[in-house]
Amino acid sequence: MSKRVTLTASLLIVATSFCHAHTFTLAEADAIIVILLSIVILLLVLGGFSLHHNRVVNRRNEQLYRILNALDDYRAIVGDGALSLDEQEDILMKKQPKPKVVKAVQMDECRAFYVKMDARVNKEKPFTGPDFDQQSLAGFMEIDLETFCKLVPRYKDPDRTLDYINSLRAEYAAKILMDCADCSMGDIASKCGFKDSAAFISAFKFAFGVTPTDYLNSMNLMFKKKQEK
């Protein structure tokens, strides 16, 4: 702040000397000083906005980083734990209270199936195939499409299923970005199952609110600041 005040005072002194040396009228000198003050104020406002924006972006990226770590921990427990997926499903079913109606049984079955599906998909990553879609997901879980829609009613719509698949691809891409900073957007898109860079960037921005490039730059800046502390 003191530097800005000093800079402002210096500009005013220079402007006053300049006006005096060129024998400007008082009105002309006042106009020049007002213009300089306006420019200084504008620069200060832009600087303050830029600082605020950087803080917001850093907080958001730290939150995204924590979310990714939490997802890793969750999927490590669910997908790579000492228990098999079937054993985890059995434990989950036993923890549920005994259903009194058929609808409750269906809800428990749907919930258990979704946990099992999400764990398997994240562990084996079949979504890295560009043609992986709703039908492929059902086949991956070894059931027909009709049964899949009953067990996962939220994904009856193929477009919603594709949103789920693309969100998994985006999460996977966020991890690859940190390990392969020199890879092109096309390479990462291909590794994660996107058909092209445009689809990758669109899905990533939808999932995280920023483009892959902005995400990578922000994460690198965050890590650099942590190392400097």
Side-chain angles (χ1 to χ4, degrees):
M1 186 65 182
S2 60
K3 291 182 179 179
R4 295 175 182 174
V5 173
T6 302
L7 177 60
T8 302
S10 300
L11 286 173
L12 289 175
I13 293 172
V14 171
T16 302
S17 301
F18 177 80
C19 292
H20 180 72
H22 289 75
T23 64
F24 287 128
T25 65
L26 183 60
E28 290 173 333
D30 287 343
I32 293 174
I33 292 174
V34 168
I35 291 172
L36 286 174
L37 283 174
S38 299
I39 293 173
V40 170
I41 291 172
L42 179 61
L43 290 175
L44 290 175
V45 171
L46 290 176
F49 176 78
S50 176
L51 182 61
H52 173 71
H53 175 72
N54 289 336
R55 287 177 179 174
V56 171
V57 170
N58 286 335
R59 285 198 299 268
R60 179 178 60 191
N61 287 329
E62 287 178 359
Q63 184 179 12
L64 289 175
Y65 184 69
R66 288 195 298 270
I67 290 173
L68 284 173
N69 283 337
L71 285 170
D72 279 340
D73 293 341
Y74 162 73
R75 276 154 186 159
I77 293 172
V78 177
D80 297 321
L83 299 178
S84 68
L85 293 171
D86 290 334
E87 289 172 331
Q88 293 169 25
E89 182 181 1
D90 290 339
I91 292 174
L92 178 63
M93 294 297 293
K94 289 177 182 178
K95 289 182 178 180
Q96 300 294 332
K98 292 184 178 181
K100 296 182 180 179
V101 293
V102 175
K103 186 176 181 180
V105 175
Q106 293 174 344
M107 288 296 293
D108 290 342
E109 184 180 4
C110 291
R111 189 179 298 111
F113 177 80
Y114 180 81
V115 170
K116 180 178 180 179
M117 178 186 75
D118 191 61
R120 282 194 61 191
V121 169
N122 277 280
K123 181 180 180 181
E124 301 179 34
K125 297 178 176 52
F127 52 78
T128 54
D131 297 322
F132 191 76
D133 55 11
Q134 184 191 56
Q135 182 69 58
S136 304
L137 181 56
F140 175 74
M141 295 305 295
E142 300 176 351
I143 56 176
D144 57 56
L145 186 57
E146 182 179 357
T147 304
F148 173 83
C149 292
K150 289 180 179 178
L151 289 172
V152 195
R154 75 180 78 176
Y155 295 144
K156 282 183 179 180
D157 183 353
D159 290 337
R160 290 198 66 183
T161 308
L162 185 59
D163 287 340
Y164 166 70
I165 293 171
N166 281 339
S167 71
L168 298 175
R169 288 169 172 160
E171 289 177 15
Y172 185 47
K175 299 170 187 174
I176 293 179
L177 277 169
M178 300 306 299
D179 298 329
C180 187
D182 296 331
C183 293
S184 68
M185 292 296 116
D187 290 338
I188 295 176
S190 179
K191 288 176 181 291
C192 298
F194 292 103
K195 293 186 177 180
D196 52 53
S197 299
F200 163 49
I201 294 171
S202 177
F204 194 95
K205 190 171 183 180
F206 180 80
F208 296 105
V210 293
T211 64
T213 301
D214 290 340
Y215 172 82
L216 181 60
N217 290 338
S218 298
M219 294 301 291
N220 287 336
L221 181 61
M222 183 180 70
F223 285 131
K224 182 178 179 180
K225 287 183 177 179
K226 285 185 177 180
Q227 290 175 354
E228 290 175 352
K229 291 181 179 179

